[in-house]
Amino acid sequence: MAIGLKSRIIYRVKEKELNEANYWAGEYKLLMKAKSIPSPFGSPNMVDTSTLEDLVETQEQGRRSAGSMEVQGAFEKQYKDELANNEGKKLDICILYGTDGKGSEGILGFIGTESFSPDEATEEQLTGTATIAVSTVPRWIEKDYNVTVVEDENGYPTSITLTAKAGN
């Protein structure tokens, strides 16, 4: 079982059409130093399939509801300024799940928008919340892309690149 340390949310301003080859390839930035990463998948709607003949209520799984994510992280000017600048823009967003910061357990890609707000200021660490509205169905893309991350001396990413795997 993997743990989530070094799982990351990365993004870039949308620059391609979704049907283009190697859509997710390119340069990304770290969204923020997240404290946790909620799921971008909403809960499935349940559809009542009961009839007057059924002795119990029956249901079938319907469509998933649109997801939204409340991502809390460290409030740092560098990330706050970028998030404020990109508020409301369509973004290509990837979640790199795993312990290596490169999506060793999975890479999920989707298009969405974000907005940022500061949390309550206390004597503890100052935090903020990025609210991400998920606009497309999240897709697992790790079979098609490799991730390269350049980190500084503290292990924080300075450059994140997705490249298409050979044969794609």
Side-chain angles (χ1 to χ4, degrees):
M1 178 189 323
I3 56 175
L5 292 175
K6 284 247 179 157
S7 288
R8 296 173 167 151
I9 301 175
I10 59 173
Y11 77 97
R12 67 177 178 199
V13 174
K14 187 176 182 323
E15 56 189 38
K16 301 178 183 178
E17 291 304 315
L18 197 51
N19 59 356
E20 288 185 44
N22 301 321
Y23 177 82
W24 298 102
E27 296 288 323
Y28 289 79
K29 297 179 180 180
L30 184 66
L31 183 79
M32 64 190 320
K33 295 176 187 171
K35 290 184 151 303
S36 65
I37 300 174
S39 176
F41 293 103
S43 299
N45 296 320
M46 300 306 285
V47 178
D48 182 4
T49 58
S50 304
T51 67
L52 297 175
E53 301 298 321
D54 296 324
L55 297 177
V56 297
E57 188 176 286
T58 59
Q59 296 181 339
E60 287 186 17
Q61 184 173 314
R63 297 183 299 171
R64 287 187 180 269
S65 61
S68 69
M69 304 166 58
E70 300 284 325
V71 181
Q72 187 183 52
F75 186 116
E76 297 180 53
K77 183 169 178 32
Q78 164 192 353
Y79 298 108
K80 183 266 304 172
D81 288 349
E82 282 284 328
L83 291 171
N85 185 49
N86 291 319
E87 206 164 286
K89 294 178 183 175
K90 289 282 187 187
L91 304 176
D92 295 330
I93 301 171
C94 295
I95 302 176
L96 308 175
Y97 291 104
T99 57
D100 64 354
K102 300 176 186 177
S104 60
E105 299 299 317
I107 304 171
L108 198 59
F110 59 93
I111 297 170
T113 57
E114 65 78 22
S115 62
F116 179 80
S117 61
D119 295 336
E120 180 180 0
T122 66
E123 73 279 0
E124 297 177 7
Q125 180 185 19
L126 189 58
T127 60
T129 299
T131 302
I132 298 173
V134 179
S135 302
T136 61
V137 177
R139 301 276 186 220
W140 294 105
I141 61 172
E142 67 274 0
K143 68 179 179 4
D144 298 323
Y145 295 92
N146 291 314
V147 179
T148 304
V149 178
V150 177
E151 297 177 340
D152 66 15
E153 62 278 356
N154 296 315
Y156 298 126
T158 57
S159 170
I160 304 166
T161 307
L162 269 66
T163 53
K165 290 184 177 177
N168 290 329

